[in-house]
């Protein structure tokens, strides 16, 4: 059998078909084998190159001219960013000499005071935390990039100082705003994130609601000491250009002070920048909602002394005012921290007026008791009558019933007993003498002249009837006198109660006005400024 081509009729490669033993190979077939053998190294090389590009994930279908054109299309910021981020490590300090510190300048722009929580002693503020430092690995020549001097870089791609708020009330899980960092060609980095801080603040409520509060915000590096990261306060200090006024607090001043402190944990010095914020409470809200209602309730307490003691409403009014003061006291206690270090001024004022109101209730009970003492037909003691007369003169009151003289109850009884005996044993002349305030001797007769008349009167029934009539009339007169005397005693005690009420009214009006002026006007005006005001602790 003879083979004349490289492939047989079935299309099978000649290497896959070996001729039988002893079969002669034709010349054409021999030349085909030689040609294929010479091309095998080139084919293998091409396959290896193809496999290499496939593994690398890119097949270079662009020639050199296309590569040059794509490089020209990159912007200046892209070329600069790729150059700066080449081999940049954000986990190490950006200084080539490890003995040099990174100086971080800190300043804040206070935009708003959200809240001052007196109960939890927390100050909530919204600020722009301006931080700037020198990064020696981010320096370039502006002429190489068409005078590009500032480049904005995501803050997550460069090194950032670990500046934290030392007296923060948060749990440190939120972090700062991922704002762009502005990098200058000389390596200066400026990063101003917007942060909402909740810082602890010792609230002094001694002069509440006329109080000033001095809160601090302490910033510094947490992990680096002063030899690695040093912090400074800038000359700008605090920027208040975008500050929004708070309805409850007035911002007096903000100052920054740098400290260098050695803590017990470490031997190195740790610098920090502390911002002191001086706030003053606006009193208009508390004046309308707390102070004025308290003054009105105090006026109601004083008006209670003008109610007549027999009306029975003095005690009810006093208790109602006392309950109203208790409601105000609970309202203020809800907003105050549960501390024994400070007692608020408004609390002292409420306690004072509540004490005056309680005393007014006690005095109302006392005057009511004095008012009804006259029904026991007991006369005023002499010392009490003297006090009442002096009090009436002080209050310019005219007394109609209270005098220094007694009612004379015992003398009246003796006069009644003597008169009754005279009426029983006399013929009527004693009654005439009693009415005419004459003595008994003016109507006496001689013994010889009176005896016949007395015998004759005893025998006459008309004389007995006259004596009985006179006796009945005398009883009516005595009862009327007793009634008048009892009424005089009642009026005496009632007049004494009115004088006491008037004296207590002036005492209470003086106490209320004095306490109001001292506690709400004088003390807030002349309070000391050792810890508050323009003096800031160093």
């Amino acid at each position: 059998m003879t083979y004349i081509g490289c492939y047989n009729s079935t299309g099978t490669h000649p290497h896959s078909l070996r001729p039988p033993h002893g079969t002669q190979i034709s010349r054409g077939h021999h030349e085909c084998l030689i040609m294929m053998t010479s091309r095998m190294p080139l084919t293998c090389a091409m396959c290896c190159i193809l496999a290499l590009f496939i593994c690398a994930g890119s097949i270079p279908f662009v020639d050199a001219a296309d590569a040059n054109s794509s490089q020209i299309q990159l912007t200046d910021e892209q070329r600069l960013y790729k150059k700066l981020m080449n081999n940049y490590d954000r986990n190490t300090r950006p200084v080539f000499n490890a003995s040099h510190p990174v100086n971080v300048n800190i300043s804040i722009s206070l935009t708003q005071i959200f809240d001052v929580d007196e109960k939890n002693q927390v100050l909530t503020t919204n600020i722009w935390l301006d931080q700037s430092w020198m990064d020696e690995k981010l320096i370039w020549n502006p002429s190489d990039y068409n005078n590009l001097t500032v480049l904005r870089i995501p803050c997550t791609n460069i090194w950032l100082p670990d500046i934290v708020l030392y007296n923060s009330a948060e749990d440190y899980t939120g972090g700062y705003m991922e704002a762009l960092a502005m990098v200058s060609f000389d390596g200066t980095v400026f990063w101003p994130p917007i942060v909402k801080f909740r810082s602890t603040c010792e609230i002094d409520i001694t002069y509440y609601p006329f109080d000033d509060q001095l809160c601090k915000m302490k910033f510094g590096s947490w992990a680096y000491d002063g030899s690695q990261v040093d912090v400074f306060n800038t000359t700008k200090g605090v920027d208040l250009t975008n500050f929004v006024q708070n309805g409850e607090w007035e911002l007096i001043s903000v100052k920054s002070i740098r400290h260098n402190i050695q803590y017990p944990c470490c031997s190195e010095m740790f610098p920090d920048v502390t911002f002191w914020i001086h706030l003053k409470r606006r009193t208009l809200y508390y004046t309308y909602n707390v102070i004025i209602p308290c003054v009105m309730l105090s006026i109601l307490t004083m008006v209670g002394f003008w109610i007549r003691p027999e009306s029975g409403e003095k005690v009810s009014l006093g208790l109602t005012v006392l309950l109203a003061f208790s409601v105000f006291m609970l309202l203020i206690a809800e907003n105050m921290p549960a501390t024994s270090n400070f007692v608020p001024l408004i609390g002292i004022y409420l306690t004072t007026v509540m004490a005056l109101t309680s005393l007014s209730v006690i005095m109302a009970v006392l005057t009511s008791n004095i008012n009804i003492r006259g029904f026991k037909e007991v006369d005023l003691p002499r010392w009490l009558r003297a006090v009442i007369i002096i009090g009436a003169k002080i209050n310019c009151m005219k007394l109609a019933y209270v005098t220094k003289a007694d009612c004379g109850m015992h003398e009246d009884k003796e006069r009644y007993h003597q008169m009754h005996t005279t009426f029983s044993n006399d013929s009527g002349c004693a009654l005439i003498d009693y009415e005419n305030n004459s003595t008994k001797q003016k109507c006496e007769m001689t013994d010889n002249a009176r005896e016949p008349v007395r015998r004759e009167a005893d025998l006459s029934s008309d004389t007995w009837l006259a004596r009985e009539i006179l006796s009945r009339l005398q009883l009516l007169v005595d009862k009327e006198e007793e009634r008048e005397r009892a009424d005089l005693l009642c009026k005496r005690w009632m007049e004494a109660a009115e004088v006491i009420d008037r004296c207590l009214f002036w005492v209470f009006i003086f106490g209320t006005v004095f306490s109001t002026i001292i506690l709400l006007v004088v003390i807030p005006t002349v309070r000391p400024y050792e810890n508050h005001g323009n003096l800031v602790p160093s």
Side-chain angles (χ1 to χ4, degrees):
M1 185 175 182
T2 301
Y3 293 87
I4 60 175
C6 293
Y7 293 87
N8 56 9
S9 60
T10 62
T12 306
H13 197 274
H15 287 279
S16 63
L17 297 176
R18 292 186 177 182
H21 180 72
T23 305
Q24 296 181 355
I25 302 174
S26 65
R27 183 178 179 180
H29 183 67
H30 181 69
E31 292 176 357
C32 183
L33 291 176
I34 293 173
M35 183 179 63
M36 293 182 63
T37 305
S38 64
R39 292 180 178 178
M40 286 183 63
L42 181 60
T43 305
C44 292
M46 292 296 292
C47 292
C48 291
I49 294 174
L50 182 61
L52 181 61
F53 280 113
I54 292 175
C55 293
S58 63
I59 302 176
F61 294 105
V62 182
D63 54 4
D66 295 336
N68 293 331
S69 63
S70 63
Q71 185 177 2
I72 294 174
Q73 290 178 357
L74 291 177
T75 62
D76 294 333
E77 292 185 358
Q78 286 177 319
R79 291 189 296 112
L80 179 58
Y81 180 76
K82 287 184 178 182
K83 177 183 176 298
L84 296 178
M85 292 296 104
N86 187 19
N87 296 326
Y88 187 92
D89 188 4
R90 64 183 303 270
N91 297 316
T92 58
R93 291 185 304 122
V95 289
F96 293 107
N97 190 345
S99 62
H100 294 172
V102 178
N103 296 328
V104 181
N105 296 319
I106 301 177
S107 63
I108 64 173
S109 297
L110 185 61
T111 59
Q112 189 177 6
I113 297 175
F114 280 103
D115 182 40
V116 179
D117 190 356
E118 296 92 348
K119 191 174 185 63
N120 298 316
Q121 302 194 25
V122 174
L123 171 66
T124 305
T125 55
N126 187 21
I127 67 173
W128 300 350
L129 184 59
D130 300 335
Q131 307 172 55
S132 61
W133 64 93
M134 184 71 179
D135 194 326
E136 298 179 2
K137 296 186 292 184
L138 299 178
I139 300 176
W140 72 89
N141 188 3
S143 61
D144 296 338
Y145 300 94
N146 295 325
N147 295 325
L148 180 62
T149 58
V150 178
L151 180 65
R152 270 74 175 177
I153 299 177
C155 62
T156 55
N157 296 339
I158 63 175
W159 179 86
L160 298 175
D162 59 336
I163 303 299
V164 297
L165 180 63
Y166 277 42
N167 59 326
S168 176
E170 295 287 355
D171 53 2
Y172 295 98
T173 59
Y176 293 160
M177 172 187 176
E178 294 184 357
L180 293 175
M182 290 174 282
V183 183
S184 300
F185 68 95
D186 57 353
T188 302
V189 182
F190 179 70
W191 184 45
I194 300 176
V195 191
K196 184 177 181 180
F197 283 117
R198 297 183 73 249
S199 58
T200 59
C201 179
E202 185 180 1
I203 305 296
D204 186 358
I205 58 173
T206 303
Y207 300 100
Y208 175 88
F210 307 96
D211 55 335
D212 292 12
Q213 301 301 332
L214 193 62
C215 300
K216 69 176 182 178
M217 301 179 69
K218 184 178 179 180
F219 294 96
S221 176
W222 185 256
Y224 296 103
D225 55 60
S227 62
Q228 296 175 323
V229 175
D230 201 355
V231 295
F232 298 91
N233 53 333
T234 61
T235 56
K236 183 181 67 173
V238 180
D239 185 11
L240 301 176
T241 306
N242 300 310
F243 179 72
V244 178
Q245 295 291 335
N246 186 274
E248 184 180 1
W249 295 92
E250 179 185 359
L251 181 63
I252 303 300
S253 63
V254 182
K255 296 183 179 180
S256 61
I257 300 177
R258 181 182 181 272
H259 303 95
N260 203 8
I261 304 175
Q262 182 180 2
Y263 295 97
C265 66
C266 312
S267 59
E268 297 84 0
M269 302 297 291
F270 286 84
D272 65 78
V273 176
T274 303
F275 295 91
W276 295 94
I277 303 176
H278 180 201
L279 301 173
K280 183 179 180 180
R281 193 189 301 272
R282 302 179 187 270
T283 59
L284 183 61
Y285 172 82
Y286 298 94
T287 301
Y288 276 98
N289 293 277
V290 178
I291 296 176
I292 292 180
C294 291
V295 173
M296 294 174 65
L297 291 176
S298 301
I299 294 175
L300 289 179
T301 303
M302 294 182 292
V303 169
F305 290 101
W306 289 85
I307 301 177
R308 297 185 64 85
E310 62 270 13
S311 64
E313 298 295 332
K314 297 171 63 68
V315 178
S316 300
L317 179 61
L319 292 177
T320 304
V321 173
L322 187 62
L323 290 176
F325 277 124
S326 301
V327 171
F328 278 101
M329 180 68 77
L330 293 176
L331 181 63
I332 294 176
E334 289 180 356
N335 299 325
M336 294 295 100
T339 177
S340 300
N341 298 329
F342 312 104
V343 179
L345 187 64
I346 189 66
I348 298 176
Y349 173 72
L350 288 178
T351 303
T352 303
V353 294
M354 286 178 65
L356 292 175
T357 305
S358 302
L359 189 59
S360 70
V361 174
I362 297 175
M363 292 297 102
V365 175
L366 179 62
T367 54
S368 298
N369 189 13
I370 292 175
N371 184 72
I372 64 174
R373 289 280 293 178
F375 293 99
K376 297 182 179 180
E377 297 184 3
V378 179
D379 196 5
L380 288 172
R382 293 184 178 180
W383 65 269
L384 183 57
R385 278 180 286 172
V387 172
I388 297 301
I389 292 172
I390 295 174
K393 291 180 179 179
I394 294 175
N395 291 277
C396 299
M397 297 176 62
K398 293 183 178 180
L399 297 177
Y401 303 102
V402 178
T403 58
K404 294 183 179 180
D406 296 334
C407 289
M409 183 174 93
H410 298 287
E411 291 81 353
D412 290 344
K413 288 185 176 181
E414 291 178 358
R415 287 175 58 197
Y416 170 73
H417 179 71
Q418 181 180 1
M419 181 180 60
H420 183 74
T421 306
T422 304
F423 290 160
S424 301
N425 299 326
D426 213 336
S427 61
C429 185
L431 179 58
I432 298 173
D433 293 337
Y434 175 76
E435 293 294 336
N436 295 327
N437 291 326
S438 59
T439 58
K440 187 177 179 182
Q441 284 77 13
K442 292 181 181 181
C443 195
E444 286 184 350
M445 302 179 181
T446 59
D447 294 336
N448 297 329
R450 290 183 59 189
E451 287 298 331
V453 175
R454 190 173 298 174
R455 292 193 198 98
E456 185 179 358
D458 291 336
L459 297 177
S460 175
S461 60
D462 294 338
T463 304
W464 177 85
L465 182 59
R467 286 201 310 269
E468 189 67 21
I469 292 174
L470 291 175
S471 176
R472 298 291 182 178
L473 290 175
Q474 188 60 44
L475 288 176
L476 294 176
V477 171
D478 293 341
K479 288 182 180 181
E480 185 65 23
E481 289 180 353
E482 288 293 328
R483 188 180 299 108
E484 290 179 357
R485 180 180 178 279
D487 185 59
L488 178 62
L489 291 176
C490 291
K491 289 181 179 180
R492 277 193 171 191
W493 284 100
M494 292 173 64
E495 195 172 46
E498 291 180 1
V499 174
I500 293 174
D501 261 350
R502 187 65 57 85
C503 294
L504 291 176
F505 168 76
W506 291 111
V507 170
F508 273 81
I509 194 172
F510 175 77
T512 303
V513 172
F514 179 78
S515 60
T516 302
I517 293 176
I518 293 297
L519 295 177
L520 300 182
V521 178
V522 177
I523 293 180
T525 304
V526 300
R527 67 183 186 274
Y529 281 88
E530 287 88 2
N531 297 326
H532 299 80
N534 296 325
L535 299 179
V536 177
S538 59

